[in-house]
Amino acid sequence: MMRIDAHQHFWKLSENLNDWPTADLPSIYRDFMPEDIREHLHKHGIEKTVVVQAAPSPEETEFLLDLAARTDFIGGVVGWLDLSSEQFPAQLATFKNNPKFVGIRPMLQNLEDDRWILRDDVKRSISLLVEYDIPLDLLIFPRHLPYIIELLTEYPTLRAVIDHCAKPAIGQRQWTPWADLMAEIASFESVMCKISGLVTEADHRSWKIDDFKPYIHHLIKCFGTDRIMFGSDWPVCLLAAQYDEVVEIVLENLTDEMTVKDMNSLFGGNAQKFYRL
């Protein structure tokens, strides 16, 4: 089965497409392009990646799609379009014809209105995603989960994935209400969860492997092994850990019951199925 890193980013600062990262983050304030990750993928036997937008602009999505057309290991691009825009239907019609375009991600964590995803104009665009069966990546914090539950109740067939496990504050040992809300999210069978981005929610300087165990075990219990996918969140992960360490965090915190088939699903099969790579 194909091994896939279901969540990573690229940016080129000279393109002026990204307002983040900023200069106060020296470990990631530089260009990150396909050749920078290739050796990590080779080391871990990863054949494809899903590149995810990092800026709220269609221009950045076009930049990533151009990279995908020229890079053998990029399986797909999760891009950005303004779900509240009247231009959304026309823009989506254009992007969805690109074979490397595999989904949309609104940057909900950065918006002032936590209920933004429930606005009528946004839900008109969500209806189009359901109609076209285009998946939605959800970049959220635990405080957004009640509104995502409301959205999924209205659109139970929406294919969605929770990025970075909804970012529980691991450094502060946050558990409730995150754990109960994620269990409720998992009751929607069209929803998956990315085991990604956890290390940057822990203490960047003093995290330990065991810090992540209760969170990963809970997600496996809730979603099962057929609705979770591995993502490195490279290069954002470099704020707290190297690529090898991110892989180790996941491998060392899996449940004892996981089979080879389950591992193959986590490290590729589920992403391939979800994004139809």
Side-chain angles (χ1 to χ4, degrees), residues 11-13 16-32 54-55 110 235-236 239:
W11 52 72
K12 189 173 183 179
L13 299 181
N16 294 317
L17 295 171
N18 302 76
D19 58 11
W20 189 92
T22 47
D24 60 328
L25 301 170
S27 60
I28 60 172
Y29 188 66
R30 64 175 180 85
D31 294 350
F32 287 93
N110 296 338
V236 179
L239 292 168

Side-chain angles (χ1 to χ4, degrees), residues 7 88 114 138 277:
H7 198 104
F88 178 82
D114 289 349
L138 293 165
L277 302 180

Side-chain angles (χ1 to χ4, degrees), residues 53-151:
Q53 62 80 226
S57 75
E59 291 77 18
E60 190 225 19
T61 300
E62 291 169 355
F63 168 75
L64 297 176
L65 287 169
D66 181 63
L67 278 184
R70 297 183 282 111
T71 306
D72 56 349
F73 64 74
I74 299 179
V77 170
V78 176
W80 183 92
L81 289 173
D82 184 356
L83 292 167
S84 67
S85 171
E86 293 181 357
Q87 304 303 314
F88 178 82
Q91 292 174 329
L92 182 64
T94 298
F95 275 139
K96 77 181 185 69
N97 289 327
N98 187 313
K100 293 291 187 177
F101 178 78
V102 298
I104 291 280
R105 183 171 84 152
M107 302 183 79
L108 300 181
Q109 70 169 20
N110 296 338
L111 301 179
E112 290 186 8
D113 181 6
D114 289 349
R115 293 180 54 89
W116 183 87
I117 197 71
L118 297 174
R119 283 172 33 168
D120 288 342
D121 52 357
V122 174
K123 289 197 294 185
R124 281 193 291 272
S125 297
I126 296 292
S127 296
L128 275 182
L129 296 182
V130 173
E131 179 182 344
Y132 294 141
D133 198 22
I134 295 173
L136 183 70
D137 269 60
L138 293 165
L139 177 62
I140 57 174
F141 290 114
R143 70 175 188 266
H144 295 97
L145 288 169
Y147 310 118
I148 300 305
I149 290 168
E150 192 172 338
L151 177 75

Side-chain angles (χ1 to χ4, degrees), residues 38 43 80 123 126 158 172 182 198 218 249:
R38 191 179 292 275
K43 180 176 181 178
W80 183 92
K123 289 197 294 185
I126 296 292
L158 173 67
Q172 287 74 51
M182 287 300 286
L198 292 178
H218 181 66
I249 285 169

Side-chain angles (χ1 to χ4, degrees), residues 40-58:
H40 301 299
L41 304 180
H42 179 73
K43 180 176 181 178
H44 294 283
I46 293 172
E47 301 163 72
K48 296 289 182 182
T49 73
V50 176
V51 179
V52 181
Q53 62 80 226
S57 75

